[in-house]
Amino acid sequence: MTHQNSIYEATVPVALCVAAILNHPAITVAEDNPGGGTQNRPTLVELLDWLGDTAYDADDECVAAGERFFDGDFLAEYEPMRAFRNARPAIFSVVHPLLGHDDADVRRTALVAAIPLIEHPLLTQHQAELADHARRLLATCTDRQHRDCVLDALRTWGHDISGLENESDIVAREHYTRLRAARAWDGNWTGGSYSDDPPF
């Protein structure tokens, strides 16, 4: 269905099927998760997590990177990616109600999944609503991935996040900045080019 951030022909029908069953009683029933953690998470959270990961694999940043690499022919030649991006409103329509779910883990995972979905032109009006949810998440959530996702989204949407970051966020941001700088330096040091042809 997906592999190494790639979208396949099977991805869209599976994603639409997953979205269609999110409200099924067999999926929404509360499951015992003693001790919490990521092991044995509720099925609803796992499915939302997969939808979110897949949506990030098809987001505007991934498309922009592909267009740069393929000289502007990436999306034109990548029909499964176009199909998934076109399906974002249908997927969002099912994820959206879960932003108000009783379970905090479901709410957080739904928010992270919704962020890349609303890049679709028909969904951008939900940005302010998701920003409110993001602020509420930041007030209580300690999950590094969730915090990074919503902070990046708020920053992209033009919000001042200086008062929303905690000490851990600042440490993580500075770490990511150093990693990006190191990669840029490596690229300059090697001449910034490589070959896809042997001997590489």
Side-chain angles (χ1 to χ4, degrees):
M1 297 178 294
T2 56
H3 177 63
Q4 294 183 343
N5 309 107
S6 296
I7 305 293
Y8 295 96
E9 185 177 344
T11 306
V12 175
V14 170
L16 291 173
C17 178
V18 167
I21 65 172
L22 287 181
N23 288 316
H24 190 281
I27 303 299
T28 58
V29 65
E31 299 174 33
D32 253 350
N33 187 17
T38 57
Q39 296 296 321
N40 303 316
R41 293 193 304 171
T43 303
L44 177 56
V45 173
E46 292 286 355
L47 293 176
L48 280 169
D49 199 31
W50 181 81
L51 284 173
D53 286 347
T54 307
Y56 276 104
D57 291 339
D59 70 3
D60 290 351
E61 185 177 356
C62 287
V63 169
E67 295 292 357
R68 288 192 300 271
F69 188 81
F70 290 100
D71 295 325
D73 293 329
F74 176 71
L75 202 54
E77 300 294 329
Y78 198 170
E79 197 280 331
M81 176 76 82
R82 292 199 314 274
F84 185 88
R85 286 168 63 83
N86 290 337
R88 288 176 293 179
I91 298 170
F92 179 79
S93 70
V94 185
V95 171
H96 182 246
L98 298 174
L99 295 170
H101 196 275
D102 290 341
D103 184 89
D105 200 17
V106 173
R107 290 196 304 272
R108 291 191 293 265
T109 312
L111 173 60
V112 171
I115 287 170
L117 294 172
I118 69 159
E119 290 179 345
H120 191 285
L122 296 178
L123 301 175
T124 54
Q125 73 271 17
H126 293 280
Q127 196 179 100
E129 177 193 359
L130 263 59
D132 289 339
H133 285 288
R135 291 188 188 91
R136 286 194 287 275
L137 180 149
L138 291 169
T140 58
C141 178
T142 58
D143 183 275
R144 179 77 270 141
Q145 182 182 1
H146 287 177
R147 293 188 69 85
D148 287 344
C149 286
V150 299
L151 285 166
D152 286 346
L154 289 169
R155 192 181 297 110
T156 299
W157 298 336
H159 294 267
D160 179 8
I161 63 166
S162 57
L164 300 172
E165 289 182 304
N166 62 25
E167 186 176 345
S168 173
D169 298 327
I170 295 168
V171 169
R173 174 166 50 80
E174 291 173 349
H175 175 67
Y176 300 148
T177 299
R178 286 193 298 273
L179 286 178
R180 283 191 292 269
R183 289 191 189 111
W185 184 86
D186 287 344
N188 291 333
W189 182 70
T190 59
S193 63
Y194 61 92
S195 173
D196 281 329
D197 300 318
F200 306 106

